[in-house]
Coordinates of all heavy atoms in Angstrom, one line a residue:
K57 N 8.4 -0.9 4.7 CA 8.7 -1.8 5.8 C 8.1 -3.2 5.6 O 8.8 -4.2 5.9 CB 8.2 -1.1 7.1 CG 8.5 -1.9 8.3 CD 8.0 -1.1 9.6 CE 8.2 -2.0 10.8 NZ 7.6 -1.3 12.0
V58 N 6.8 -3.3 5.2 CA 6.2 -4.6 5.1 C 6.8 -5.3 3.9 O 7.1 -6.5 4.0 CB 4.7 -4.4 4.8 CG1 4.0 -5.7 4.5 CG2 4.1 -3.8 6.1
C59 N 7.1 -4.6 2.8 CA 7.8 -5.2 1.6 C 9.1 -5.8 2.0 O 9.5 -6.9 1.6 CB 7.9 -4.2 0.5 SG 6.4 -3.8 -0.3
S60 N 9.9 -5.0 2.8 CA 11.2 -5.5 3.1 C 11.1 -6.8 4.0 O 11.9 -7.7 3.9 CB 12.1 -4.4 3.8 OG 11.4 -4.0 5.0
E61 N 10.2 -6.8 4.9 CA 10.0 -8.0 5.8 C 9.6 -9.2 4.9 O 10.1 -10.3 5.1 CB 8.9 -7.7 6.8 CG 9.4 -6.8 7.9 CD 8.3 -6.5 9.0 OE1 7.3 -7.4 9.0 OE2 8.3 -5.5 9.7
L62 N 8.6 -9.0 4.0 CA 8.2 -10.1 3.2 C 9.4 -10.6 2.3 O 9.6 -11.8 2.1 CB 7.0 -9.7 2.3 CG 5.7 -9.6 3.0 CD1 4.7 -9.0 2.0 CD2 5.2 -10.9 3.5
K63 N 10.1 -9.7 1.7 CA 11.2 -10.1 0.9 C 12.3 -10.8 1.7 O 12.9 -11.8 1.2 CB 11.8 -8.8 0.2 CG 12.8 -9.1 -0.9 CD 13.2 -7.9 -1.7 CE 14.2 -8.3 -2.7 NZ 14.5 -7.2 -3.6
N64 N 12.6 -10.3 2.9 CA 13.7 -11.0 3.7 C 13.3 -12.4 4.1 O 14.1 -13.3 4.0 CB 14.0 -10.1 4.9 CG 14.7 -8.9 4.6 OD1 15.4 -8.8 3.6 ND2 14.6 -7.9 5.5
K65 N 12.0 -12.6 4.4 CA 11.5 -13.9 4.8 C 11.5 -14.8 3.6 O 11.9 -16.0 3.7 CB 10.1 -13.8 5.3 CG 10.0 -13.4 6.8 CD 8.6 -13.6 7.3 CE 8.5 -13.4 8.7 NZ 7.2 -13.8 9.3
A66 N 11.2 -14.3 2.4 CA 11.2 -15.2 1.2 C 12.7 -15.5 0.8 O 12.9 -16.7 0.4 CB 10.6 -14.4 0.0
L67 N 13.6 -14.6 1.0 CA 15.0 -14.9 0.7 C 15.6 -15.9 1.7 O 16.5 -16.7 1.3 CB 15.8 -13.6 0.6 CG 15.5 -12.7 -0.6 CD1 16.3 -11.4 -0.5 CD2 15.7 -13.4 -1.9
E68 N 15.1 -15.9 2.9 CA 15.6 -16.9 3.9 C 15.2 -18.3 3.5 O 15.9 -19.2 3.8 CB 15.0 -16.5 5.3 CG 15.6 -15.4 6.0 CD 14.9 -15.0 7.3 OE1 14.0 -15.8 7.7 OE2 15.3 -14.0 7.9
K69 N 14.0 -18.4 2.8 CA 13.6 -19.7 2.4 C 14.0 -20.1 1.0 O 13.5 -21.0 0.4 CB 12.0 -19.8 2.5 CG 11.5 -19.6 3.9 CD 10.1 -20.0 4.0 CE 9.7 -19.9 5.5 NZ 8.6 -20.7 5.8
N70 N 14.9 -19.3 0.4 CA 15.5 -19.5 -0.9 C 14.5 -19.5 -2.0 O 14.5 -20.4 -2.9 CB 16.4 -20.8 -0.9 CG 17.5 -20.7 0.0 OD1 18.1 -19.6 0.2 ND2 17.9 -21.8 0.6
L71 N 13.5 -18.5 -2.0 CA 12.5 -18.4 -3.0 C 12.9 -17.3 -4.0 O 13.7 -16.4 -3.7 CB 11.2 -18.0 -2.4 CG 10.6 -19.0 -1.4 CD1 9.3 -18.4 -0.8 CD2 10.3 -20.3 -2.0
K72 N 12.4 -17.4 -5.2 CA 12.7 -16.4 -6.2 C 11.7 -15.2 -6.0 O 10.5 -15.4 -6.0 CB 12.4 -17.0 -7.6 CG 12.8 -16.1 -8.7 CD 12.6 -16.7 -10.1 CE 12.9 -15.7 -11.2 NZ 12.5 -16.2 -12.5
V73 N 12.3 -14.0 -5.8 CA 11.5 -12.8 -5.5 C 11.9 -11.8 -6.5 O 13.0 -11.5 -6.8 CB 11.8 -12.3 -4.1 CG1 11.0 -11.1 -3.8 CG2 11.6 -13.4 -3.1
T74 N 10.8 -11.1 -7.1 CA 11.1 -9.9 -7.9 C 10.3 -8.8 -7.3 O 9.2 -8.9 -6.9 CB 10.6 -10.1 -9.3 OG1 9.2 -10.5 -9.3 CG2 11.3 -11.2 -10.0
G75 N 11.0 -7.6 -7.2 CA 10.3 -6.5 -6.6 C 11.0 -6.0 -5.3 O 12.0 -6.5 -5.0
P76 N 10.4 -5.1 -4.6 CA 9.2 -4.4 -4.8 C 9.2 -3.4 -6.0 O 10.2 -2.7 -6.1 CB 8.9 -3.7 -3.5 CG 10.2 -3.6 -2.9 CD 11.1 -4.7 -3.4
V77 N 8.2 -3.4 -6.8 CA 8.1 -2.4 -7.9 C 7.1 -1.4 -7.5 O 6.0 -1.7 -7.0 CB 7.5 -3.2 -9.2 CG1 7.3 -2.2 -10.3 CG2 8.5 -4.3 -9.6
R78 N 7.5 -0.1 -7.6 CA 6.6 1.0 -7.2 C 5.6 1.3 -8.3 O 6.0 1.5 -9.4 CB 7.5 2.2 -6.9 CG 8.4 2.1 -5.7 CD 9.2 3.3 -5.5 NE 10.0 3.2 -4.3 CZ 10.8 4.2 -3.8 NH1 10.8 5.3 -4.4 NH2 11.5 3.9 -2.8
M79 N 4.4 1.4 -7.8 CA 3.3 1.8 -8.7 C 3.1 3.3 -8.6 O 3.5 3.9 -7.6 CB 2.0 1.1 -8.4 CG 2.1 -0.4 -8.6 SD 2.7 -1.0 -10.2 CE 1.2 -0.6 -11.2
P80 N 2.5 4.0 -9.5 CA 2.2 5.4 -9.4 C 1.4 5.8 -8.2 O 0.5 5.0 -7.8 CB 1.5 5.8 -10.7 CG 1.8 4.7 -11.7 CD 2.0 3.5 -10.9
T81 N 1.7 6.9 -7.5 CA 1.0 7.3 -6.3 C -0.4 7.9 -6.7 O -0.4 8.8 -7.5 CB 1.8 8.3 -5.5 OG1 3.1 7.7 -5.2 CG2 1.1 8.7 -4.3
K82 N -1.4 7.4 -6.1 CA -2.7 8.0 -6.3 C -2.9 9.2 -5.3 O -2.6 9.0 -4.1 CB -3.8 7.0 -6.0 CG -4.2 6.2 -7.2 CD -5.5 5.4 -6.8 CE -5.8 4.5 -8.0 NZ -7.0 3.6 -7.6
K83 N -3.4 10.3 -5.8 CA -3.6 11.5 -4.9 C -5.1 11.7 -4.9 O -5.7 12.1 -5.9 CB -2.8 12.7 -5.4 CG -1.4 12.5 -5.3 CD -0.7 13.7 -5.8 CE 0.8 13.5 -5.9 NZ 1.5 14.7 -6.5
L84 N -5.7 11.5 -3.8 CA -7.2 11.8 -3.6 C -7.3 13.2 -3.0 O -6.9 13.4 -1.8 CB -7.9 10.8 -2.8 CG -7.7 9.3 -3.3 CD1 -8.3 8.4 -2.3 CD2 -8.3 9.2 -4.6
K85 N -7.8 14.2 -3.7 CA -7.9 15.6 -3.2 C -9.3 16.0 -3.0 O -10.2 15.6 -3.7 CB -7.3 16.5 -4.3 CG -5.8 16.3 -4.6 CD -5.3 17.2 -5.6 CE -3.8 17.0 -5.9 NZ -3.3 17.9 -6.9
L86 N -9.5 16.8 -1.9 CA -10.8 17.2 -1.5 C -10.7 18.7 -1.1 O -9.8 19.1 -0.3 CB -11.3 16.4 -0.3 CG -12.7 16.7 0.2 CD1 -13.7 16.3 -0.9 CD2 -13.0 15.9 1.4
L87 N -11.5 19.5 -1.7 CA -11.5 21.0 -1.5 C -12.8 21.3 -0.8 O -13.9 21.1 -1.4 CB -11.4 21.7 -2.8 CG -11.2 23.2 -2.8 CD1 -9.8 23.5 -2.1 CD2 -11.2 23.8 -4.2
V88 N -12.7 21.8 0.4 CA -13.9 22.1 1.2 C -14.0 23.5 1.7 O -13.0 24.1 2.1 CB -13.9 21.2 2.5 CG1 -15.1 21.4 3.3 CG2 -13.8 19.7 2.1
R89 N -15.1 24.1 1.5 CA -15.3 25.5 2.0 C -15.3 25.6 3.5 O -16.0 24.8 4.2 CB -16.7 26.0 1.4 CG -17.0 27.4 1.7 CD -16.7 28.3 0.5 NE -17.0 29.7 0.8 CZ -18.1 30.4 0.5 NH1 -19.0 29.8 -0.3 NH2 -18.2 31.6 0.9
K90 N -14.6 26.5 4.1 CA -14.5 26.7 5.5 C -15.7 27.2 6.2 O -16.1 26.7 7.2 CB -13.3 27.6 5.9 CG -12.0 27.0 5.8 CD -10.9 27.9 6.3 CE -9.5 27.4 6.2 NZ -8.5 28.3 6.7
S91 N -16.4 28.1 5.5 CA -17.6 28.7 6.1 C -18.8 27.8 6.1 O -19.2 27.2 5.0 CB -17.9 30.0 5.3 OG -19.1 30.5 5.8
P92 N -19.4 27.5 7.2 CA -20.5 26.6 7.3 C -21.8 27.1 6.6 O -22.6 26.4 6.1 CB -20.8 26.3 8.7 CG -20.2 27.5 9.4 CD -19.1 28.0 8.6
C93 N -22.0 28.5 6.6 CA -23.3 29.0 6.2 C -23.2 29.5 4.7 O -24.2 29.8 4.1 CB -23.7 30.2 7.0 SG -22.5 31.6 7.0
G94 N -22.0 29.6 4.1 CA -21.8 30.1 2.8 C -21.6 31.6 2.6 O -21.4 32.1 1.5
E95 N -21.7 32.3 3.7 CA -21.5 33.7 3.7 C -20.0 34.1 4.0 O -19.3 33.2 4.5 CB -22.4 34.5 4.6 CG -23.9 34.3 4.2 CD -24.8 35.1 5.2 OE1 -24.3 35.8 6.0 OE2 -26.0 34.8 5.1
G96 N -19.6 35.3 3.8 CA -18.2 35.7 4.1 C -17.3 35.5 3.0 O -17.7 35.2 1.8
T97 N -16.0 35.5 3.3 CA -15.0 35.4 2.2 C -14.9 33.9 1.8 O -15.2 33.0 2.6 CB -13.6 35.8 2.7 OG1 -13.3 35.1 3.9 CG2 -13.6 37.3 3.1
N98 N -14.5 33.7 0.6 CA -14.4 32.4 0.0 C -13.0 31.8 0.5 O -12.0 32.0 -0.2 CB -14.5 32.4 -1.5 CG -15.8 32.8 -1.9 OD1 -16.8 32.7 -1.2 ND2 -15.9 33.2 -3.2
T99 N -13.0 31.1 1.6 CA -11.8 30.4 2.0 C -12.0 28.9 2.0 O -13.1 28.5 2.3 CB -11.4 30.9 3.5 OG1 -12.5 30.7 4.3 CG2 -11.0 32.3 3.5
Y100 N -11.0 28.2 1.7 CA -11.1 26.7 1.5 C -10.1 26.0 2.3 O -9.0 26.5 2.5 CB -11.0 26.4 0.0 CG -12.1 26.9 -0.9 CD1 -12.0 28.2 -1.5 CD2 -13.3 26.2 -1.1 CE1 -13.0 28.6 -2.3 CE2 -14.3 26.7 -1.8 CZ -14.2 27.9 -2.4 OH -15.2 28.4 -3.2
D101 N -10.4 24.8 2.7 CA -9.5 23.8 3.2 C -9.2 22.8 2.2 O -10.1 22.3 1.5 CB -10.1 23.1 4.4 CG -10.0 23.8 5.7 OD1 -9.1 24.6 5.9 OD2 -10.9 23.6 6.6
R102 N -7.9 22.5 2.0 CA -7.5 21.5 1.0 C -7.0 20.2 1.8 O -6.1 20.3 2.6 CB -6.3 22.0 0.2 CG -6.8 23.1 -0.7 CD -5.6 23.6 -1.5 NE -6.0 24.8 -2.3 CZ -5.9 26.0 -2.0 NH1 -5.4 26.3 -0.7 NH2 -6.2 27.0 -2.7
W103 N -7.6 19.1 1.5 CA -7.3 17.8 2.1 C -6.8 16.9 1.0 O -7.2 16.9 -0.1 CB -8.5 17.2 2.8 CG -9.1 18.1 3.8 CD1 -10.2 18.9 3.7 CD2 -8.7 18.2 5.2 NE1 -10.4 19.6 4.8 CE2 -9.5 19.2 5.8 CE3 -7.7 17.7 5.9 CZ2 -9.4 19.5 7.1 CZ3 -7.5 18.0 7.3 CH2 -8.4 19.0 7.8
Q104 N -5.8 16.1 1.4 CA -5.2 15.2 0.4 C -4.8 13.9 1.0 O -4.2 13.9 2.1 CB -3.9 15.9 -0.2 CG -3.3 15.1 -1.4 CD -2.1 15.8 -2.0 OE1 -1.2 16.3 -1.2 NE2 -2.1 16.0 -3.3
M105 N -5.1 12.8 0.4 CA -4.7 11.5 0.9 C -3.9 10.8 -0.3 O -4.3 10.8 -1.4 CB -5.9 10.6 1.2 CG -5.5 9.3 1.8 SD -6.9 8.3 2.4 CE -7.6 7.7 0.9
R106 N -2.7 10.3 0.1 CA -1.9 9.7 -0.9 C -1.8 8.2 -0.7 O -1.7 7.7 0.5 CB -0.4 10.2 -0.9 CG -0.4 11.7 -1.2 CD 1.0 12.2 -1.2 NE 1.0 13.6 -1.6 CZ 2.1 14.2 -2.0 NH1 3.2 13.6 -2.1 NH2 2.0 15.5 -2.4
I107 N -2.0 7.4 -1.8 CA -2.0 6.0 -1.7 C -0.8 5.5 -2.4 O -0.6 5.7 -3.7 CB -3.3 5.4 -2.3 CG1 -4.5 5.9 -1.5 CG2 -3.2 3.9 -2.3 CD1 -5.8 5.5 -2.1
H108 N 0.1 4.8 -1.7 CA 1.3 4.3 -2.3 C 1.2 2.8 -2.4 O 0.8 2.1 -1.5 CB 2.5 4.6 -1.4 CG 2.7 6.0 -1.1 ND1 3.4 6.8 -2.0 CD2 2.4 6.8 -0.1 CE1 3.4 8.1 -1.6 NE2 2.8 8.1 -0.4
K109 N 1.5 2.2 -3.6 CA 1.3 0.8 -3.8 C 2.7 0.2 -4.3 O 3.5 0.9 -5.0 CB 0.3 0.5 -4.9 CG -1.1 0.8 -4.5 CD -2.1 0.3 -5.6 CE -3.5 0.5 -5.1 NZ -4.4 0.1 -6.1
R110 N 2.9 -1.0 -3.9 CA 4.1 -1.8 -4.2 C 3.7 -3.1 -4.7 O 2.7 -3.7 -4.1 CB 5.1 -1.9 -3.1 CG 5.5 -0.6 -2.4 CD 6.5 0.1 -3.3 NE 7.0 1.3 -2.6 CZ 6.5 2.5 -2.7 NH1 5.4 2.7 -3.4 NH2 7.0 3.5 -2.0
I111 N 4.4 -3.7 -5.7 CA 4.1 -5.1 -6.1 C 5.3 -5.9 -5.8 O 6.5 -5.6 -6.2 CB 3.8 -5.1 -7.6 CG1 2.5 -4.4 -7.9 CG2 3.8 -6.5 -8.1 CD1 2.1 -4.3 -9.4
L112 N 5.1 -7.0 -5.1 CA 6.1 -8.0 -4.8 C 5.7 -9.3 -5.3 O 4.7 -9.8 -5.0 CB 6.3 -8.0 -3.3 CG 7.5 -8.8 -2.7 CD1 8.8 -8.1 -3.1 CD2 7.3 -8.9 -1.2
D113 N 6.5 -9.9 -6.2 CA 6.2 -11.1 -6.9 C 7.0 -12.3 -6.3 O 8.2 -12.3 -6.3 CB 6.5 -11.0 -8.4 CG 5.7 -11.9 -9.2 OD1 4.9 -12.6 -8.7 OD2 6.0 -12.0 -10.5
L114 N 6.3 -13.2 -5.7 CA 6.9 -14.4 -5.1 C 6.6 -15.6 -5.9 O 5.4 -15.9 -6.2 CB 6.4 -14.6 -3.7 CG 6.5 -13.5 -2.7 CD1 5.8 -13.8 -1.4 CD2 8.0 -13.2 -2.4
H115 N 7.6 -16.3 -6.4 CA 7.5 -17.5 -7.1 C 7.6 -18.7 -6.2 O 8.7 -19.2 -5.9 CB 8.5 -17.6 -8.3 CG 8.5 -16.4 -9.2 ND1 7.5 -16.3 -10.2 CD2 9.2 -15.3 -9.2 CE1 7.7 -15.2 -10.8 NE2 8.7 -14.5 -10.2
S116 N 6.5 -19.2 -5.7 CA 6.5 -20.3 -4.7 C 5.1 -20.9 -4.6 O 4.1 -20.3 -5.1 CB 6.9 -19.8 -3.3 OG 6.0 -18.9 -2.8
P117 N 5.0 -22.1 -4.0 CA 3.7 -22.7 -3.8 C 2.8 -21.8 -2.9 O 3.3 -21.0 -2.1 CB 4.0 -24.0 -3.2 CG 5.4 -24.3 -3.4 CD 6.1 -23.0 -3.6
S118 N 1.5 -22.0 -2.9 CA 0.6 -21.1 -2.2 C 0.7 -21.4 -0.7 O 0.5 -20.4 0.1 CB -0.9 -21.4 -2.6 OG -1.2 -22.8 -2.4
E119 N 1.1 -22.6 -0.2 CA 1.2 -22.8 1.2 C 2.4 -22.0 1.8 O 2.3 -21.5 2.9 CB 1.5 -24.3 1.5 CG 0.4 -25.2 1.1 CD 0.4 -25.6 -0.4 OE1 1.5 -25.6 -1.0 OE2 -0.6 -25.9 -1.0
V120 N 3.4 -21.9 1.0 CA 4.6 -21.1 1.5 C 4.2 -19.6 1.5 O 4.6 -18.9 2.5 CB 5.8 -21.3 0.5 CG1 7.0 -20.5 1.0 CG2 6.2 -22.8 0.5
V121 N 3.5 -19.1 0.6 CA 3.1 -17.7 0.6 C 2.2 -17.4 1.8 O 2.3 -16.4 2.4 CB 2.3 -17.4 -0.8 CG1 1.7 -16.0 -0.7 CG2 3.2 -17.5 -1.9
R122 N 1.3 -18.3 2.1 CA 0.5 -18.1 3.3 C 1.3 -18.1 4.6 O 1.0 -17.3 5.5 CB -0.6 -19.2 3.4 CG -1.7 -19.1 2.4 CD -2.8 -20.1 2.7 NE -3.8 -20.0 1.7 CZ -3.9 -20.8 0.6 NH1 -3.1 -21.8 0.5 NH2 -4.9 -20.7 -0.3
Q123 N 2.4 -18.8 4.7 CA 3.3 -18.8 5.8 C 4.0 -17.5 5.9 O 4.2 -16.9 6.9 CB 4.3 -19.9 5.8 CG 3.7 -21.3 6.0 CD 4.6 -22.4 5.8 OE1 5.8 -22.2 5.5 NE2 4.2 -23.7 6.0
L124 N 4.5 -17.0 4.7 CA 5.2 -15.7 4.7 C 4.4 -14.5 5.0 O 4.9 -13.6 5.6 CB 5.8 -15.5 3.3 CG 6.9 -16.5 2.8 CD1 7.3 -16.2 1.4 CD2 8.1 -16.3 3.7
T125 N 3.1 -14.5 4.6 CA 2.3 -13.3 4.8 C 1.7 -13.3 6.2 O 1.0 -12.4 6.5 CB 1.2 -13.3 3.8 OG1 0.4 -14.5 3.8 CG2 1.7 -13.1 2.4
N126 N 2.1 -14.2 7.1 CA 1.6 -14.2 8.5 C 2.6 -13.3 9.3 O 3.3 -13.8 10.1 CB 1.5 -15.6 9.0 CG 0.8 -15.7 10.3 OD1 0.2 -14.7 10.7 ND2 1.0 -16.8 11.0
I127 N 2.5 -12.0 9.1 CA 3.4 -11.1 9.8 C 2.5 -10.0 10.4 O 1.3 -9.8 10.1 CB 4.4 -10.4 8.9 CG1 3.7 -9.7 7.7 CG2 5.4 -11.4 8.3 CD1 4.7 -8.8 6.9
S128 N 3.1 -9.3 11.4 CA 2.3 -8.2 12.0 C 2.4 -6.9 11.1 O 3.5 -6.6 10.6 CB 2.9 -7.8 13.4 OG 4.3 -7.4 13.3
I129 N 1.3 -6.3 10.8 CA 1.2 -5.2 9.9 C 0.7 -4.0 10.7 O -0.2 -4.1 11.5 CB 0.3 -5.5 8.7 CG1 0.9 -6.7 8.0 CG2 0.2 -4.3 7.8 CD1 -0.1 -7.2 6.9
D130 N 1.3 -2.8 10.5 CA 0.9 -1.6 11.2 C -0.5 -1.2 10.8 O -1.0 -1.5 9.7 CB 1.9 -0.4 10.8 CG 3.3 -0.7 11.3 OD1 3.5 -1.4 12.2 OD2 4.2 -0.1 10.7
P131 N -1.2 -0.5 11.7 CA -2.5 0.0 11.3 C -2.4 1.0 10.2 O -1.5 1.9 10.2 CB -3.1 0.6 12.6 CG -2.0 0.6 13.6 CD -0.9 -0.2 13.1
G132 N -3.4 1.0 9.3 CA -3.3 1.9 8.2 C -2.6 1.4 7.0 O -2.6 2.0 5.9
V133 N -2.0 0.2 7.1 CA -1.4 -0.4 6.0 C -2.2 -1.6 5.5 O -2.5 -2.5 6.3 CB 0.1 -0.9 6.4 CG1 0.7 -1.6 5.2 CG2 0.9 0.3 6.8
D134 N -2.6 -1.7 4.3 CA -3.4 -2.8 3.7 C -2.5 -3.6 2.9 O -1.7 -3.1 2.0 CB -4.5 -2.2 2.9 CG -5.6 -1.5 3.7 OD1 -5.7 -1.8 4.9 OD2 -6.2 -0.5 3.2
V135 N -2.6 -4.9 3.0 CA -1.8 -5.9 2.2 C -2.8 -6.8 1.5 O -3.7 -7.4 2.2 CB -0.8 -6.7 3.1 CG1 -0.2 -7.7 2.2 CG2 0.2 -5.8 3.7
E136 N -2.7 -6.9 0.2 CA -3.6 -7.7 -0.6 C -2.7 -8.8 -1.2 O -1.7 -8.5 -1.9 CB -4.2 -6.9 -1.7 CG -5.2 -7.7 -2.5 CD -5.9 -6.8 -3.6 OE1 -5.8 -5.6 -3.5 OE2 -6.4 -7.4 -4.6
V137 N -3.1 -10.1 -1.0 CA -2.4 -11.2 -1.5 C -3.2 -11.9 -2.6 O -4.3 -12.3 -2.3 CB -2.0 -12.2 -0.4 CG1 -1.3 -13.4 -0.9 CG2 -1.2 -11.6 0.7
I138 N -2.6 -12.0 -3.8 CA -3.3 -12.7 -4.9 C -2.5 -13.9 -5.2 O -1.3 -13.7 -5.6 CB -3.5 -11.7 -6.1 CG1 -4.3 -10.5 -5.7 CG2 -4.1 -12.4 -7.3 CD1 -4.4 -9.5 -6.7
I139 N -3.1 -15.0 -5.2 CA -2.4 -16.3 -5.6 C -2.8 -16.7 -7.0 O -4.0 -17.0 -7.2 CB -2.7 -17.4 -4.5 CG1 -2.2 -17.0 -3.2 CG2 -2.0 -18.7 -5.0 CD1 -2.5 -17.9 -2.1
A140 N -1.9 -16.6 -7.9 CA -2.2 -16.9 -9.3 C -1.7 -18.3 -9.6 O -0.6 -18.7 -9.3 CB -1.5 -15.9 -10.2
N141 N -2.6 -19.1 -10.2 CA -2.3 -20.5 -10.6 C -1.7 -20.4 -12.0 O -2.4 -20.2 -13.0 CB -3.5 -21.4 -10.5 CG -4.0 -21.5 -9.1 OD1 -3.3 -21.5 -8.2 ND2 -5.3 -21.6 -9.0
S142 N -0.4 -20.7 -12.1 CA 0.2 -20.7 -13.4 C 1.2 -21.9 -13.6 O 1.6 -22.5 -12.7 CB 0.9 -19.4 -13.7 OG 1.9 -19.2 -12.8

């Protein structure tokens, strides 16, 4: 959702956009024993958190990128903006 909003805003301003490119999903797994004392049957809880990453490449000046990234983002969604000088 965030990628599509950024891409649509960039295309409205006639900027060159490549992406979004999907990166491999990171799976953080945690195996926890249910019993607090360590006695009884060996039963476990399995917890998993998946991290999905996308790369969106905008070819524009840094001022325009700052204007584009000024959008409302849902809680739990992190956006990292890297401005490369090339």
